[in-house]
Short mmCIF file of all heavy atoms in Angstrom, two decimals:
data_model
loop_
_atom_site.label_atom_id
_atom_site.label_comp_id
_atom_site.label_asym_id
_atom_site.label_seq_id
_atom_site.Cartn_x
_atom_site.Cartn_y
_atom_site.Cartn_z
N VAL R 1 0.86 -1.18 0.00
CA VAL R 1 0.00 0.00 0.00
C VAL R 1 0.89 1.24 0.00
O VAL R 1 1.67 1.45 0.94
CB VAL R 1 -0.94 0.02 1.21
CG1 VAL R 1 -1.82 1.28 1.18
CG2 VAL R 1 -1.81 -1.23 1.24
N LEU R 2 0.79 2.04 -1.04
CA LEU R 2 1.58 3.26 -1.17
C LEU R 2 0.76 4.47 -0.75
O LEU R 2 -0.45 4.52 -0.98
CB LEU R 2 2.04 3.46 -2.62
CG LEU R 2 2.90 2.36 -3.24
CD1 LEU R 2 3.14 2.67 -4.71
CD2 LEU R 2 4.22 2.21 -2.48
N ALA R 3 1.43 5.44 -0.13
CA ALA R 3 0.76 6.69 0.21
C ALA R 3 0.69 7.57 -1.04
O ALA R 3 1.63 7.61 -1.82
CB ALA R 3 1.53 7.41 1.31
N PRO R 4 -0.42 8.27 -1.24
CA PRO R 4 -0.53 9.15 -2.41
C PRO R 4 0.42 10.33 -2.31
O PRO R 4 0.79 10.76 -1.21
CB PRO R 4 -1.99 9.61 -2.37
CG PRO R 4 -2.39 9.46 -0.94
CD PRO R 4 -1.64 8.28 -0.42
N SER R 5 0.85 10.84 -3.45
CA SER R 5 1.73 12.01 -3.51
C SER R 5 0.98 13.16 -4.18
O SER R 5 0.33 12.96 -5.20
CB SER R 5 3.00 11.68 -4.31
OG SER R 5 3.70 10.62 -3.70
N TYR R 6 1.08 14.33 -3.60
CA TYR R 6 0.39 15.49 -4.14
C TYR R 6 1.40 16.55 -4.58
O TYR R 6 2.43 16.75 -3.94
CB TYR R 6 -0.54 16.12 -3.10
CG TYR R 6 -1.63 15.19 -2.64
CD1 TYR R 6 -1.53 14.52 -1.42
CD2 TYR R 6 -2.75 14.97 -3.42
CE1 TYR R 6 -2.51 13.65 -1.01
CE2 TYR R 6 -3.75 14.11 -3.02
CZ TYR R 6 -3.62 13.46 -1.80
OH TYR R 6 -4.61 12.60 -1.39
N VAL R 7 1.13 17.21 -5.68
CA VAL R 7 1.97 18.29 -6.18
C VAL R 7 1.34 19.61 -5.75
O VAL R 7 0.23 19.94 -6.16
CB VAL R 7 2.11 18.24 -7.71
CG1 VAL R 7 2.94 19.41 -8.21
CG2 VAL R 7 2.72 16.91 -8.13
N ILE R 8 2.04 20.34 -4.89
CA ILE R 8 1.49 21.58 -4.32
C ILE R 8 1.26 22.61 -5.43
O ILE R 8 2.13 22.86 -6.25
CB ILE R 8 2.43 22.15 -3.25
CG1 ILE R 8 2.58 21.15 -2.10
CG2 ILE R 8 1.92 23.50 -2.73
CD1 ILE R 8 3.56 21.58 -1.04
N GLY R 9 0.06 23.18 -5.42
CA GLY R 9 -0.25 24.23 -6.37
C GLY R 9 -0.68 23.72 -7.73
O GLY R 9 -0.98 24.52 -8.61
N ALA R 10 -0.68 22.42 -7.92
CA ALA R 10 -1.06 21.89 -9.24
C ALA R 10 -2.57 21.91 -9.39
O ALA R 10 -3.31 21.67 -8.44
CB ALA R 10 -0.55 20.47 -9.40
N SER R 11 -3.03 22.21 -10.56
CA SER R 11 -4.46 22.13 -10.85
C SER R 11 -4.76 20.71 -11.31
O SER R 11 -3.88 20.00 -11.78
CB SER R 11 -4.84 23.12 -11.94
OG SER R 11 -4.11 22.85 -13.12
N GLY R 12 -5.99 20.28 -11.17
CA GLY R 12 -6.32 18.91 -11.54
C GLY R 12 -5.62 17.96 -10.58
O GLY R 12 -4.73 17.20 -10.93
N ARG R 13 -6.00 18.01 -9.29
CA ARG R 13 -5.27 17.32 -8.23
C ARG R 13 -5.12 15.83 -8.48
O ARG R 13 -4.08 15.24 -8.26
CB ARG R 13 -6.01 17.55 -6.91
CG ARG R 13 -5.24 17.10 -5.70
CD ARG R 13 -6.03 17.43 -4.43
NE ARG R 13 -5.26 17.13 -3.24
CZ ARG R 13 -5.76 17.23 -2.02
NH1 ARG R 13 -7.01 17.62 -1.84
NH2 ARG R 13 -5.01 16.93 -0.97
N GLY R 14 -6.18 15.18 -8.99
CA GLY R 14 -6.12 13.74 -9.22
C GLY R 14 -5.03 13.35 -10.20
O GLY R 14 -4.29 12.41 -10.00
N ALA R 15 -4.91 14.10 -11.30
CA ALA R 15 -3.88 13.81 -12.30
C ALA R 15 -2.49 14.00 -11.71
O ALA R 15 -1.56 13.25 -11.99
CB ALA R 15 -4.06 14.70 -13.52
N ALA R 16 -2.34 15.04 -10.86
CA ALA R 16 -1.03 15.29 -10.24
C ALA R 16 -0.65 14.14 -9.32
O ALA R 16 0.50 13.73 -9.26
CB ALA R 16 -1.07 16.61 -9.46
N VAL R 17 -1.62 13.60 -8.59
CA VAL R 17 -1.36 12.47 -7.70
C VAL R 17 -0.88 11.27 -8.52
O VAL R 17 0.13 10.65 -8.21
CB VAL R 17 -2.64 12.11 -6.92
CG1 VAL R 17 -2.44 10.78 -6.20
CG2 VAL R 17 -2.97 13.19 -5.92
N ASP R 18 -1.59 10.93 -9.56
CA ASP R 18 -1.25 9.77 -10.37
C ASP R 18 0.15 9.90 -10.97
O ASP R 18 0.94 8.95 -10.97
CB ASP R 18 -2.27 9.59 -11.50
CG ASP R 18 -3.61 9.10 -10.96
OD1 ASP R 18 -3.65 8.61 -9.82
OD2 ASP R 18 -4.60 9.23 -11.68
N ALA R 19 0.48 11.07 -11.47
CA ALA R 19 1.77 11.27 -12.09
C ALA R 19 2.90 11.13 -11.08
O ALA R 19 3.95 10.57 -11.37
CB ALA R 19 1.82 12.63 -12.77
N ALA R 20 2.69 11.66 -9.87
CA ALA R 20 3.74 11.64 -8.86
C ALA R 20 3.97 10.25 -8.30
O ALA R 20 5.10 9.88 -7.95
CB ALA R 20 3.39 12.61 -7.73
N VAL R 21 2.92 9.44 -8.18
CA VAL R 21 3.05 8.14 -7.53
C VAL R 21 3.37 7.03 -8.52
O VAL R 21 3.76 5.93 -8.12
CB VAL R 21 1.75 7.81 -6.76
CG1 VAL R 21 0.67 7.25 -7.69
CG2 VAL R 21 2.03 6.84 -5.61
N GLU R 22 3.23 7.27 -9.80
CA GLU R 22 3.39 6.21 -10.79
C GLU R 22 4.76 5.54 -10.74
O GLU R 22 4.85 4.30 -10.84
CB GLU R 22 3.11 6.74 -12.19
CG GLU R 22 2.95 5.64 -13.24
CD GLU R 22 1.88 4.63 -12.88
OE1 GLU R 22 0.85 5.04 -12.29
OE2 GLU R 22 2.07 3.43 -13.17
N PRO R 23 5.89 6.27 -10.61
CA PRO R 23 7.18 5.59 -10.51
C PRO R 23 7.27 4.66 -9.29
O PRO R 23 7.83 3.57 -9.38
CB PRO R 23 8.18 6.74 -10.40
CG PRO R 23 7.50 7.91 -11.02
CD PRO R 23 6.05 7.74 -10.68
N LYS R 24 6.69 5.09 -8.16
CA LYS R 24 6.68 4.24 -6.97
C LYS R 24 5.82 2.99 -7.19
O LYS R 24 6.17 1.90 -6.76
CB LYS R 24 6.16 5.01 -5.77
CG LYS R 24 7.03 6.19 -5.35
CD LYS R 24 6.42 6.89 -4.16
CE LYS R 24 7.26 8.09 -3.75
NZ LYS R 24 6.66 8.81 -2.60
N ARG R 25 4.70 3.18 -7.86
CA ARG R 25 3.82 2.05 -8.16
C ARG R 25 4.54 1.03 -9.05
O ARG R 25 4.46 -0.17 -8.82
CB ARG R 25 2.54 2.53 -8.84
CG ARG R 25 1.46 1.45 -8.95
CD ARG R 25 0.48 1.78 -10.07
NE ARG R 25 -0.14 3.08 -9.88
CZ ARG R 25 -1.31 3.26 -9.26
NH1 ARG R 25 -1.97 2.24 -8.78
NH2 ARG R 25 -1.81 4.49 -9.16
N HIS R 26 5.24 1.53 -10.05
CA HIS R 26 5.97 0.65 -10.96
C HIS R 26 7.06 -0.12 -10.22
O HIS R 26 7.23 -1.33 -10.42
CB HIS R 26 6.59 1.48 -12.09
CG HIS R 26 7.36 0.66 -13.08
ND1 HIS R 26 6.75 -0.13 -14.03
CD2 HIS R 26 8.71 0.50 -13.26
CE1 HIS R 26 7.68 -0.74 -14.75
NE2 HIS R 26 8.87 -0.37 -14.30
N ALA R 27 7.80 0.57 -9.33
CA ALA R 27 8.85 -0.09 -8.57
C ALA R 27 8.28 -1.14 -7.61
O ALA R 27 8.82 -2.24 -7.48
CB ALA R 27 9.66 0.95 -7.79
N ALA R 28 7.17 -0.79 -6.96
CA ALA R 28 6.55 -1.74 -6.03
C ALA R 28 6.03 -2.97 -6.76
O ALA R 28 6.17 -4.10 -6.28
CB ALA R 28 5.41 -1.05 -5.28
#
């Protein structure tokens, strides 16, 4: 279970979360 990552100030919060956590998801 990975913790979500948020990009401060980014619009479209959901997309920012997915983009930030994707490398961790791939490694896991």
Side-chain angles (χ1 to χ4, degrees):
V1 180
L2 301 175
S5 300
Y6 299 101
V7 178
I8 298 176
S11 59
R13 191 178 185 185
V17 170
D18 288 344
V21 81
E22 193 56 36
K24 296 180 182 179
R25 191 202 303 266
H26 180 75

